[in-house]
Amino acid sequence: MSDLFWPGDERAGDLMTSSALLAAMVRVESAWLTALVGAGVAPAAARDDLEGLVGPADVEALAAAAEPGGNPVIGLVPLLRERVGDRNADAARWLHRGLTSQDVLDTALLLCARETADRIRRQLTAQVARLAELADEHAGTVMAGRTLTQHAVPLTFGLKVAGWLAGVLDAYDPLVALRWPVQLGGAAGTRAAWMELAGGLGDPQQVAEALAADVATRLGLAPADPWHTSRAAVTRVGDALVACTDAWGRIANDVLTLSRPEIAELSEGTGGGSSTMPHKANPVLSTLVRRAALTTPQLAATLHLAAAESVDERADGGWHAEWGTLRTLARHAAVAGSQATDLLAGLRVHADRMRAHHDEAAEDLHAEQRTMASLAGHDPSGAYLGTAGRLVESALARARRHLHQHPDQHLEENR
Amino acid sequence: MSDLFWPGDERAGDLMTSSALLAAMVRVESAWLTALVGAGVAPAAARDDLEGLVGPADVEALAAAAEPGGNPVIGLVPLLRERVGDRNADAARWLHRGLTSQDVLDTALLLCARETADRIRRQLTAQVARLAELADEHAGTVMAGRTLTQHAVPLTFGLKVAGWLAGVLDAYDPLVALRWPVQLGGAAGTRAAWMELAGGLGDPQQVAEALAADVATRLGLAPADPWHTSRAAVTRVGDALVACTDAWGRIANDVLTLSRPEIAELSEGTGGGSSTMPHKANPVLSTLVRRAALTTPQLAATLHLAAAESVDERADGGWHAEWGTLRTLARHAAVAGSQATDLLAGLRVHADRMRAHHDEAAEDLHAEQRTMASLAGHDPSGAYLGTAGRLVESALARARRHLHQHPDQHLEENR
Amino acid sequence: MSDLFWPGDERAGDLMTSSALLAAMVRVESAWLTALVGAGVAPAAARDDLEGLVGPADVEALAAAAEPGGNPVIGLVPLLRERVGDRNADAARWLHRGLTSQDVLDTALLLCARETADRIRRQLTAQVARLAELADEHAGTVMAGRTLTQHAVPLTFGLKVAGWLAGVLDAYDPLVALRWPVQLGGAAGTRAAWMELAGGLGDPQQVAEALAADVATRLGLAPADPWHTSRAAVTRVGDALVACTDAWGRIANDVLTLSRPEIAELSEGTGGGSSTMPHKANPVLSTLVRRAALTTPQLAATLHLAAAESVDERADGGWHAEWGTLRTLARHAAVAGSQATDLLAGLRVHADRMRAHHDEAAEDLHAEQRTMASLAGHDPSGAYLGTAGRLVESALARARRHLHQHPDQHLEENR
Amino acid sequence: MSDLFWPGDERAGDLMTSSALLAAMVRVESAWLTALVGAGVAPAAARDDLEGLVGPADVEALAAAAEPGGNPVIGLVPLLRERVGDRNADAARWLHRGLTSQDVLDTALLLCARETADRIRRQLTAQVARLAELADEHAGTVMAGRTLTQHAVPLTFGLKVAGWLAGVLDAYDPLVALRWPVQLGGAAGTRAAWMELAGGLGDPQQVAEALAADVATRLGLAPADPWHTSRAAVTRVGDALVACTDAWGRIANDVLTLSRPEIAELSEGTGGGSSTMPHKANPVLSTLVRRAALTTPQLAATLHLAAAESVDERADGGWHAEWGTLRTLARHAAVAGSQATDLLAGLRVHADRMRAHHDEAAEDLHAEQRTMASLAGHDPSGAYLGTAGRLVESALARARRHLHQHPDQHLEENR
């Protein structure tokens, strides 16, 4: 994946690529075939390992084969049958039996999305760690607070960072609360084919339930009743990812504002160059993070529309609108998360400039204080930083709890 | 609120109206004044009850006064001061001291939004009860399953309803998980004015924390650090409401489809008339529910954009974009919820038509079965309904748990 | 209309209110009744003037009556019949005959939308006049150019304003290009009722065409074949309005940025106050304009979705999703346009600050120049303002052409 | 481009791919270099042909190089310099001098977008031709009109197709009205570098204007003042493309509805298969077209947001959000257009079923007629098709004018 239209896209690596989806679909087919054999529905001879039978080189042909049936499973099943059939006719015969395209695609999509969510969870934890450092370090760094672009009352940079931290932690919660249910329903969600296949095996209902449970276990997903037309599993992923870009977008906006040369209270670790102006050091990471935050909410809206447009036992377009939209949303979020991590890691804080602006604007920044002191009947009491220290401490405590619960999560590389 | 542009809007009653917002803002100011007195910051003489001082008749003037400062609190504070000042100069003097507009507006907005969420929770519970009835009653009602508009395999209407039920229950969870934090931060989130006002009162930090806790308690909101620039509290409301319209939209789509005269397997209790065609009985409730589901996702996207556009200690437009958007989203959701409840209450199920279509299409509906039976080496086994019965039972069990936990919630009127 | 959730909403006056829609619907019914009489379809005695028969006091009852049929015409027709019937039974008998609800509502909606577009056209022209003044006055006002927030090369404020001007003029074009077609098709767009009613009148086809032409003329709309399910007339309005808020949003962003106290190159004429900070002068108009620009694109997207969801001879929800969405979009745009006009009228330009920043940053601002001069083999040539003067002149020429074509348009009051 | 997430994506071929963008950027650099030489700014020895210097194999490295500067031009310029420098040091020296990244990227993006628009124009014309055939052929094919899903009054299928045709023609107009302005402004839109480079050449202003005009001519774009922060050129492309998917989406909805087995009045030429149900013939093209129509409006909204978020002389994220969004929107539209063409080409019309449904529902379909006849005082007059014939003729006349103006446009292959 090299995308000249979305600089930084390669940070998302293989997340939600066509190759990754293909591999996930094969995992699902493989788990199902194994379960069929395990349950005694298919003969032991049908057991086979499908991994490696198809790969990135097949994507082009499978994409072309996807359109006539409307989804990429349509071409995959015969291809797998053909390839595995060369060595194992039973596997070819039993492969996919009892599934429908949507089972394979929905489950594979969630496998890919979960991988994205895991990546982003680690990014968020790394950010929590870095933000806690920054908030702690700058708990006493005085700066001008600004509301509606104008000077308000004094602030500490630590408190501003505590706000960023709160945003990141708020984004973490729904991400870990995501459910990853397996989708297994057969042609119209009744699992009728399973019962038919299991006709002679004791209690077919039990066989059916065992099949679903076995596949879920093999894939590490939650067992679930079919959700082919109840799409909360998908919309929640979208909402959770947008909550992340919301949190990062707000940080980016603050960095962009405070790194304006007339303010210059922050700067990115490495500024971005220009194709024509040799002096330039642009806040590129913030710019690219902000870009994502402007883009993802509308993608998540499309996922909701797709969910709302469910109808019958498989939607005529609503379902199909999900896949590419979720892919783009997920990759944009993963890229932005990685960029935000780098942004924070390299962020340079110019406490002297913060102090200077604060001092220059002291008259205005303390106007409210004078009113309050007059009201309370005493002279203004000094720094006018309120409970900033305690609020920073409160945010740090929350961060520490988070890091304690997720001790190693942020040690992995930022991609 | 009478809105010719959104038929049914009056179902939302006073939820999120200007009058309701005004009342909620007064509640916040009142709770704060009481807390100031309670903490000893303001003198006992400043205690006063602000309710009734302003009302719907003031909305027009307050709206006009809102623009110069950019929000409706700007005009409200002097008006309250003037009115309460006629009887209590101390109250007028201490009113709003330590707050900023955003404290009042954010907190009031959440109070109004919570009321909407409560209404919708009751609607969802009523729907769960009704859907459980329907699923149970029609667990054996055979019909044609349809995927991508075409006949697939047999289904029961009970299983279709079980899917609707799953959608509604899935929407309930995030709604009850919403957090309703009080927003109290003062001019830039430092609570500096509080400390200044509490200058002579022992530990001002403790006074400040007591103030925040007291107001939260009085308003029934969660105590919270200021979240003026971390807007998850707002975006989560939007996402939760859209999850509801998603669930209802999908039900509406099924009703619209199945009440087409050539299908006629469902019909609304009371069809809607036409201004020119005397024979008409249109599925109006479904149409209006579907309308909402097409509209709300984009409104929730705006809330996310607004959140992502946070900057400084108060956003220059992002904050302001939230209010009207949340209002419209909340009212649309409340109206759609009420309409969906009525739709389900009156829904007529034509089991004979379902059976007839099933029988006419039996050859196609059992095509998969023949393949499976052949694969399994036996004759097709009959009804081909798979585990539909168990899946309905599973949904009913989930519904029963829900209703057991919320025994009275659905007994209130549907508005 | 007093809306605490959208400060400034009253600037839109009666545009697209329920009362305005009601009046427009009555205009449509009235024009149709007159046309029926004029064509000889209805007897001369049926001629009547419907205006005044219903009014704002009826909105509440009509809104309540709208839901059962799904649109506000359903209740209006019997009410008009009842009221006019008191004095003219023929009018009551012939009223609305041959129309369907959608004819009345679509046509009335466009009448209201056109009024909004006319208002905004005048706003844009007033802005063109003001921007031309500003660009001309500041054609020589040197300032720092900024890209990606950082200093780039020198600029003139006149050139920046020329860019604003280009944006406003670009927004004008699609607004005046809007078509306002009458919608007249009868129950399903066949005009069958007209032919039936005109059965004995020579060539019924000619009668039908005369009816449509007559109504269009009376309402000042374009004659048109029925467009009940081809919704470009609506989506184009949405797109054109968003183009306006795009243009204003960008101006607002520049003002917000350049009025930051550390930059202070611009300020609004009258800054907005705070409920707690006495020194505040916030750029409120810019903030509120920016708010609209963050909101309207998603509303226009909903109009497109509604159009795309057309089906049959009247859409089951797509149509209904348009009305409230267009209303909100139109009012937001009209308010933002009025605020933008005021913003520009009062804008204060601090040329000394612009010069000072330019001079302080001269080294950076001229870095590209040094490269270029070196490449060209000569010393840097001075001001490095390129063709800024000519580009301003080019924009002014375009503005002058516009103002020449629309000489009086901007002299009306800014509402 | 093989995309398992968006079946049919390969129909868009190389439109708006990274390779296509790269080629377009090289075209822009090449035209600029040639113009520099032509104007005498660069020496004659600097003339060189850049095409072929870079290609698809460079995309990966260029994508990686794009992030540090925030756009793909940052890495392209040094690579081109290096490669051309091997044979022509003067070309390497003068390449890109006077341009900024945004000049190259904006102009290249429009070149790619124009290619997409051209493709879609041909698709639309092909559809006009096919729809005119269908409307003409079925001008007398009676069917049931349906409003709000229910039977309304009789219709002809020809009139329904005339409505589709109107939608397609309505979408054509804004597409051909699109302007394709070259973007050439230098670092901040002042063209200062050009003047510096042209220092010794007579009137540098004239040189500058000649440069801009020359490049525009070479690329076949419209000469234009810099529009780096006035983004109507981009948003109009988005709006025009969405107007297309709106028109196609509505056709798709009608096909999906009317090909339901209980209705069966239409069917796709080749139905789509299932991975498990052997009897299936799904309306796959309609489903995939509908998918696009649910997706594109939100992408166009993002383009508007990006435009509204312009600020300074280059936006800090708004600009960057455009590229990938426009790419996805353009490809989705091109794919949907091709699918819609195939859908219409293969559409099968079951006039017998239409007639049968009409006859079965005759009582209802003629209910309005009875009212009207009674009102007019005569017996119902027969078919009740109103002016359907004339309306079809009116649409056909519009189609003929279109086809006469664009005689060959639709003869090219449907990709």
Side-chain angles (χ1 to χ4, degrees):
Chain A
M1 292 290 289
S2 291
D3 187 351
L4 294 185
F5 292 83
W6 199 264
D9 181 67
E10 65 279 3
R11 286 176 180 259
D14 200 38
L15 290 175
M16 303 281 295
T17 58
S18 285
S19 296
L21 181 64
L22 178 56
M25 292 192 294
V26 173
R27 272 187 74 196
V28 177
E29 294 284 7
S30 202
W32 177 252
L33 182 60
T34 306
L36 282 179
V37 171
V41 173
R47 190 187 305 271
D48 207 304
D49 183 7
L50 306 177
E51 286 191 55
L53 283 179
V54 297
D58 297 303
V59 165
E60 187 172 343
L62 287 172
E67 198 196 47
N71 72 65
V73 181
I74 299 291
L76 175 62
V77 171
L79 184 65
L80 282 174
R81 284 203 179 118
E82 179 193 323
R83 297 219 176 138
V84 79
D86 288 346
R87 67 184 183 215
N88 185 338
D90 286 303
R93 180 177 169 84
W94 283 95
L95 184 83
H96 188 75
R97 296 300 178 186
L99 296 186
T100 194
S101 300
Q102 188 168 7
D103 293 331
V104 181
L105 190 49
D106 278 354
T107 303
L109 207 65
L110 283 206
L111 285 171
C112 291
R114 184 178 60 178
E115 198 181 350
T116 310
D118 284 346
R119 180 85 58 97
I120 293 176
R121 283 199 295 131
R122 294 193 297 271
Q123 293 169 347
L124 290 170
T125 298
Q127 293 162 17
V128 168
R130 172 61 178 144
L131 287 165
E133 276 177 16
L134 275 173
D136 191 32
E137 183 182 347
H138 292 286
T141 302
V142 176
M143 68 184 294
R146 296 168 176 97
T147 56
L148 304 180
T149 75
Q150 302 300 299
H151 289 150
V153 297
L155 199 73
T156 63
F157 181 62
L159 183 57
K160 181 183 282 285
V161 173
W164 297 353
L165 182 52
V168 166
L169 286 163
D170 286 351
Y172 192 90
D173 295 340
L175 204 67
V176 294
L178 288 174
R179 299 182 321 189
W180 304 103
V182 74
Q183 160 59 25
L184 291 170
T190 60
R191 300 176 168 174
W194 312 3
M195 297 281 284
E196 193 73 22
L197 293 173
L201 301 173
D203 179 351
Q205 298 250 31
Q206 280 188 343
V207 173
E209 291 186 0
L211 279 170
D214 187 18
V215 171
T217 302
R218 287 182 188 284
L219 298 173
L221 297 173
D225 290 345
W227 48 274
H228 47 134
T229 49
S230 298
R231 310 302 289 173
V234 175
T235 56
R236 287 176 186 171
V237 174
D239 293 343
L241 295 176
V242 176
C244 294
T245 58
D246 290 349
W248 299 326
R250 173 263 188 108
I251 296 173
N253 286 333
D254 269 343
V255 175
L256 287 164
T257 296
L258 298 180
S259 63
R260 284 188 171 271
E262 297 84 0
I263 303 180
E265 299 179 1
L266 294 177
S267 54
E268 291 198 7
T270 309
S274 152
S275 71
T276 187
M277 293 176 280
H279 71 288
K280 271 283 200 168
N282 292 316
V284 169
L285 289 171
S286 306
T287 296
L288 296 179
V289 167
R290 176 172 157 74
R291 161 193 67 167
L294 290 170
T295 307
T296 54
Q298 291 78 256
L299 295 169
T302 299
L303 294 180
H304 279 290
L305 278 165
E309 288 294 305
S310 272
V311 66
D312 294 331
E313 280 62 65
R314 186 163 308 123
D316 53 346
W319 181 46
H320 308 73
E322 283 178 356
W323 321 327
T325 303
L326 182 60
R327 180 259 319 269
T328 303
L329 171 50
R331 286 188 68 85
H332 285 3
V335 169
S338 172
Q339 290 170 330
T341 304
D342 281 359
L343 167 63
L344 292 172
L347 189 68
R348 292 188 293 164
V349 182
H350 308 294
D352 54 334
R353 293 279 298 182
M354 292 179 176
R355 165 58 72 176
H357 282 134
H358 170 273
D359 291 352
E360 285 163 25
E363 173 97 8
D364 277 358
L365 291 170
H366 292 261
E368 186 196 54
Q369 184 180 28
R370 292 190 297 275
T371 306
M372 295 298 148
S374 160
L375 186 71
H378 58 67
D379 284 342
S381 63
Y384 207 57
L385 284 166
T387 67
R390 278 214 191 174
L391 292 169
V392 169
E393 194 41 53
S394 165
L396 288 176
R398 190 175 164 203
R400 277 185 220 110
R401 285 194 300 277
H402 177 90
L403 295 169
H404 184 71
Q405 287 162 14
H406 312 285
D408 303 322
Q409 207 175 57
H410 61 294
L411 301 178
E412 310 192 18
E413 63 168 332
N414 174 33
R415 283 293 157 118
Chain B
M1 293 293 287
S2 291
D3 187 352
L4 294 184
F5 293 84
W6 199 264
D9 181 67
E10 65 279 3
R11 287 177 180 259
D14 201 38
L15 289 175
M16 304 282 294
T17 58
S18 285
S19 296
L21 181 64
L22 178 56
M25 292 192 294
V26 173
R27 272 187 75 195
V28 177
E29 295 284 6
S30 202
W32 177 252
L33 182 61
T34 306
L36 283 180
V37 172
V41 173
R47 190 187 305 271
D48 207 306
D49 185 5
L50 306 178
E51 286 192 54
L53 284 179
V54 298
D58 298 304
V59 165
E60 187 172 343
L62 287 172
E67 197 196 48
N71 73 65
V73 181
I74 299 292
L76 174 62
V77 171
L79 184 65
L80 283 175
R81 284 203 178 118
E82 181 193 320
R83 298 221 174 136
V84 79
D86 289 345
R87 67 183 185 215
N88 185 338
D90 285 304
R93 180 178 170 85
W94 284 94
L95 184 85
H96 189 74
R97 296 301 177 186
L99 296 184
T100 194
S101 299
Q102 189 168 6
D103 293 332
V104 181
L105 190 49
D106 278 354
T107 303
L109 208 64
L110 284 206
L111 285 171
C112 291
R114 185 179 57 177
E115 198 181 349
T116 310
D118 284 347
R119 179 86 59 98
I120 293 176
R121 282 198 297 130
R122 293 193 298 272
Q123 293 170 347
L124 291 170
T125 298
Q127 293 161 16
V128 168
R130 172 63 178 144
L131 288 165
E133 276 176 17
L134 275 173
D136 192 32
E137 182 181 348
H138 292 286
T141 303
V142 175
M143 68 185 294
R146 296 169 175 97
T147 58
L148 304 180
T149 74
Q150 303 300 300
H151 289 151
V153 295
L155 199 72
T156 63
F157 181 61
L159 184 57
K160 181 182 281 284
V161 174
W164 297 353
L165 182 53
V168 166
L169 285 163
D170 286 351
Y172 192 89
D173 295 340
L175 203 68
V176 294
L178 289 175
R179 300 180 322 187
W180 303 102
V182 74
Q183 160 60 25
L184 292 170
T190 60
R191 300 175 169 176
W194 312 4
M195 298 281 283
E196 194 73 22
L197 293 172
L201 301 171
D203 180 349
Q205 299 249 31
Q206 281 187 341
V207 172
E209 290 186 1
L211 279 170
D214 188 17
V215 171
T217 303
R218 289 182 187 283
L219 298 173
L221 297 173
D225 290 344
W227 48 274
H228 47 134
T229 49
S230 297
R231 310 301 293 173
V234 174
T235 56
R236 287 176 186 170
V237 174
D239 293 344
L241 294 176
V242 176
C244 294
T245 57
D246 290 349
W248 300 324
R250 172 263 187 110
I251 296 173
N253 287 334
D254 269 343
V255 176
L256 287 164
T257 296
L258 298 181
S259 63
R260 285 188 170 272
E262 297 84 0
I263 304 181
E265 299 179 0
L266 293 178
S267 53
E268 290 199 8
T270 309
S274 153
S275 70
T276 187
M277 292 176 281
H279 71 289
K280 271 283 199 165
N282 293 316
V284 169
L285 289 171
S286 306
T287 296
L288 297 179
V289 167
R290 176 171 156 75
R291 160 194 69 167
L294 289 170
T295 308
T296 54
Q298 292 77 255
L299 296 170
T302 299
L303 294 180
H304 278 292
L305 279 165
E309 287 295 303
S310 272
V311 66
D312 295 330
E313 278 62 64
R314 186 165 307 123
D316 54 345
W319 181 45
H320 308 73
E322 283 177 357
W323 321 328
T325 304
L326 182 60
R327 180 260 317 270
T328 302
L329 171 50
R331 287 187 68 84
H332 285 4
V335 169
S338 171
Q339 290 170 329
T341 304
D342 280 359
L343 166 63
L344 292 172
L347 189 68
R348 292 189 292 163
V349 182
H350 307 295
D352 53 335
R353 293 280 298 182
M354 292 179 175
R355 164 59 71 177
H357 283 134
H358 171 273
D359 292 352
E360 285 163 26
E363 172 98 7
D364 277 357
L365 292 170
H366 292 260
E368 186 197 54
Q369 185 180 26
R370 292 190 296 274
T371 306
M372 294 299 148
S374 159
L375 186 71
H378 57 67
D379 284 341
S381 62
Y384 207 57
L385 285 166
T387 67
R390 280 216 189 173
L391 292 168
V392 169
E393 193 43 53
S394 165
L396 287 176
R398 191 175 163 203
R400 277 184 219 109
R401 284 194 301 274
H402 177 90
L403 294 170
H404 184 71
Q405 287 162 16
H406 311 284
D408 304 322
Q409 208 173 58
H410 61 296
L411 301 179
E412 312 191 16
E413 63 169 333
N414 174 32
R415 283 292 158 119
Chain C
M1 292 290 288
S2 291
D3 187 351
L4 294 184
F5 292 84
W6 198 264
D9 181 68
E10 65 280 2
R11 287 177 179 259
D14 200 38
L15 292 174
M16 305 280 297
T17 57
S18 285
S19 297
L21 181 64
L22 177 56
M25 292 192 294
V26 173
R27 273 188 74 197
V28 177
E29 295 283 6
S30 202
W32 178 253
L33 181 61
T34 306
L36 282 180
V37 172
V41 172
R47 190 188 304 274
D48 207 305
D49 184 6
L50 306 177
E51 285 191 55
L53 284 179
V54 298
D58 298 303
V59 165
E60 188 171 343
L62 287 172
E67 198 196 47
N71 73 66
V73 181
I74 299 291
L76 174 62
V77 171
L79 184 65
L80 283 174
R81 284 201 179 119
E82 179 194 323
R83 297 222 175 136
V84 80
D86 289 345
R87 65 184 184 217
N88 185 339
D90 286 303
R93 181 177 169 83
W94 283 94
L95 185 84
H96 189 76
R97 296 301 178 185
L99 296 185
T100 194
S101 301
Q102 188 168 7
D103 293 331
V104 181
L105 190 49
D106 278 355
T107 302
L109 207 65
L110 283 206
L111 286 171
C112 293
R114 185 179 58 178
E115 199 182 348
T116 310
D118 285 345
R119 179 87 57 98
I120 293 176
R121 282 199 297 131
R122 293 193 298 271
Q123 294 169 348
L124 290 171
T125 297
Q127 293 161 17
V128 168
R130 172 62 178 145
L131 288 165
E133 276 177 17
L134 275 173
D136 192 32
E137 182 183 348
H138 292 286
T141 303
V142 176
M143 68 184 294
R146 296 170 175 97
T147 57
L148 305 180
T149 76
Q150 302 300 300
H151 290 151
V153 296
L155 199 73
T156 63
F157 181 61
L159 185 57
K160 181 182 283 283
V161 173
W164 297 354
L165 182 52
V168 166
L169 286 163
D170 286 351
Y172 192 89
D173 296 339
L175 204 67
V176 294
L178 288 175
R179 301 182 321 187
W180 304 103
V182 73
Q183 161 60 25
L184 291 170
T190 60
R191 300 174 169 177
W194 313 2
M195 298 281 283
E196 193 74 22
L197 293 173
L201 301 171
D203 180 350
Q205 298 250 28
Q206 280 187 344
V207 173
E209 289 186 3
L211 280 171
D214 187 17
V215 171
T217 302
R218 289 182 187 282
L219 298 173
L221 297 173
D225 290 345
W227 49 273
H228 47 134
T229 48
S230 297
R231 311 301 292 172
V234 174
T235 56
R236 286 176 187 171
V237 175
D239 293 345
L241 295 176
V242 176
C244 294
T245 58
D246 290 350
W248 300 325
R250 172 263 186 109
I251 296 173
N253 286 334
D254 269 342
V255 175
L256 287 165
T257 296
L258 298 180
S259 63
R260 285 189 170 271
E262 296 84 0
I263 303 180
E265 299 179 0
L266 294 177
S267 54
E268 290 199 8
T270 309
S274 152
S275 71
T276 187
M277 292 177 280
H279 71 288
K280 270 283 198 167
N282 292 318
V284 169
L285 289 171
S286 306
T287 296
L288 296 179
V289 167
R290 177 172 155 75
R291 159 194 68 167
L294 290 170
T295 308
T296 54
Q298 291 78 256
L299 296 169
T302 299
L303 293 180
H304 278 291
L305 279 165
E309 288 295 303
S310 271
V311 67
D312 295 331
E313 279 62 64
R314 186 163 307 124
D316 54 345
W319 181 46
H320 309 73
E322 283 178 357
W323 321 328
T325 303
L326 182 60
R327 180 257 319 271
T328 302
L329 171 49
R331 287 188 68 84
H332 285 2
V335 169
S338 171
Q339 291 170 329
T341 304
D342 281 359
L343 167 63
L344 291 172
L347 189 68
R348 293 189 292 163
V349 182
H350 307 294
D352 54 335
R353 292 280 299 182
M354 291 179 176
R355 164 60 69 177
H357 283 133
H358 170 274
D359 291 352
E360 284 163 26
E363 173 97 7
D364 277 358
L365 292 171
H366 292 260
E368 185 196 54
Q369 185 181 26
R370 292 189 297 275
T371 306
M372 295 298 149
S374 160
L375 187 71
H378 57 67
D379 283 341
S381 61
Y384 208 58
L385 285 166
T387 67
R390 279 214 190 174
L391 291 169
V392 169
E393 194 42 53
S394 166
L396 287 177
R398 190 176 164 203
R400 276 186 220 110
R401 284 194 301 276
H402 177 89
L403 295 170
H404 184 71
Q405 288 162 14
H406 312 285
D408 303 322
Q409 208 174 58
H410 61 294
L411 301 179
E412 312 190 18
E413 62 167 334
N414 173 33
R415 283 294 156 121
Chain D
M1 292 292 286
S2 291
D3 186 352
L4 294 185
F5 293 84
W6 198 263
D9 181 68
E10 65 280 2
R11 286 176 180 258
D14 201 37
L15 290 175
M16 304 281 295
T17 58
S18 285
S19 296
L21 181 64
L22 178 56
M25 292 192 294
V26 173
R27 271 187 75 196
V28 177
E29 294 284 6
S30 202
W32 178 252
L33 182 61
T34 305
L36 282 179
V37 172
V41 173
R47 190 185 306 271
D48 208 305
D49 184 7
L50 306 178
E51 286 190 55
L53 284 180
V54 298
D58 298 303
V59 165
E60 186 171 344
L62 288 172
E67 198 196 47
N71 72 66
V73 181
I74 299 291
L76 174 62
V77 172
L79 184 65
L80 282 175
R81 284 203 179 118
E82 180 194 322
R83 297 221 175 136
V84 79
D86 290 346
R87 66 185 184 215
N88 185 339
D90 286 302
R93 180 177 170 84
W94 284 94
L95 185 83
H96 189 75
R97 295 302 177 184
L99 296 185
T100 195
S101 301
Q102 188 168 7
D103 293 331
V104 180
L105 190 49
D106 278 355
T107 303
L109 207 65
L110 283 205
L111 286 171
C112 292
R114 185 179 58 178
E115 199 181 349
T116 309
D118 285 347
R119 179 87 57 99
I120 292 176
R121 283 198 297 133
R122 293 192 298 272
Q123 293 169 346
L124 290 171
T125 298
Q127 292 161 17
V128 168
R130 171 63 177 143
L131 288 166
E133 276 176 16
L134 276 173
D136 192 33
E137 183 182 348
H138 292 285
T141 304
V142 175
M143 67 184 295
R146 296 169 175 97
T147 57
L148 304 180
T149 74
Q150 302 301 300
H151 290 151
V153 296
L155 198 73
T156 63
F157 181 60
L159 184 57
K160 181 182 282 285
V161 173
W164 297 353
L165 182 52
V168 166
L169 286 163
D170 286 350
Y172 191 88
D173 295 340
L175 204 67
V176 293
L178 288 175
R179 299 181 323 188
W180 303 102
V182 73
Q183 161 60 24
L184 292 170
T190 61
R191 300 175 168 176
W194 312 4
M195 298 281 283
E196 194 73 22
L197 293 173
L201 299 172
D203 180 349
Q205 299 251 29
Q206 282 188 341
V207 172
E209 291 186 0
L211 279 170
D214 188 18
V215 171
T217 302
R218 288 182 188 282
L219 298 173
L221 297 173
D225 291 344
W227 49 273
H228 47 134
T229 49
S230 297
R231 310 301 291 174
V234 175
T235 56
R236 287 176 186 170
V237 175
D239 293 344
L241 295 176
V242 176
C244 295
T245 57
D246 290 349
W248 299 325
R250 171 263 188 109
I251 296 172
N253 287 333
D254 269 343
V255 176
L256 287 164
T257 295
L258 298 181
S259 63
R260 284 187 171 273
E262 296 84 0
I263 303 181
E265 299 180 359
L266 294 177
S267 55
E268 292 199 6
T270 309
S274 153
S275 70
T276 186
M277 292 175 282
H279 71 287
K280 272 282 199 168
N282 292 317
V284 169
L285 289 171
S286 306
T287 296
L288 296 179
V289 168
R290 177 172 155 75
R291 160 193 68 167
L294 290 170
T295 308
T296 54
Q298 292 76 258
L299 295 169
T302 298
L303 294 180
H304 278 290
L305 278 164
E309 287 295 303
S310 272
V311 67
D312 294 333
E313 279 62 63
R314 186 164 307 124
D316 53 344
W319 181 46
H320 308 73
E322 282 177 358
W323 321 327
T325 304
L326 182 60
R327 180 260 317 270
T328 302
L329 170 50
R331 286 186 68 84
H332 285 3
V335 169
S338 171
Q339 290 170 329
T341 304
D342 281 358
L343 166 63
L344 292 172
L347 189 66
R348 293 189 292 163
V349 183
H350 307 295
D352 55 334
R353 293 279 298 180
M354 292 180 177
R355 165 59 71 177
H357 283 134
H358 170 274
D359 291 352
E360 285 163 25
E363 172 98 6
D364 277 356
L365 292 170
H366 291 261
E368 186 197 53
Q369 185 180 25
R370 292 189 298 274
T371 306
M372 295 297 148
S374 160
L375 186 70
H378 57 67
D379 283 343
S381 62
Y384 207 57
L385 284 166
T387 67
R390 278 214 192 174
L391 292 168
V392 169
E393 194 43 53
S394 166
L396 287 176
R398 191 176 164 202
R400 276 185 220 109
R401 284 194 301 276
H402 178 90
L403 294 169
H404 184 72
Q405 287 162 14
H406 311 285
D408 305 321
Q409 209 173 57
H410 61 293
L411 301 179
E412 311 190 19
E413 63 167 331
N414 174 31
R415 283 295 156 116

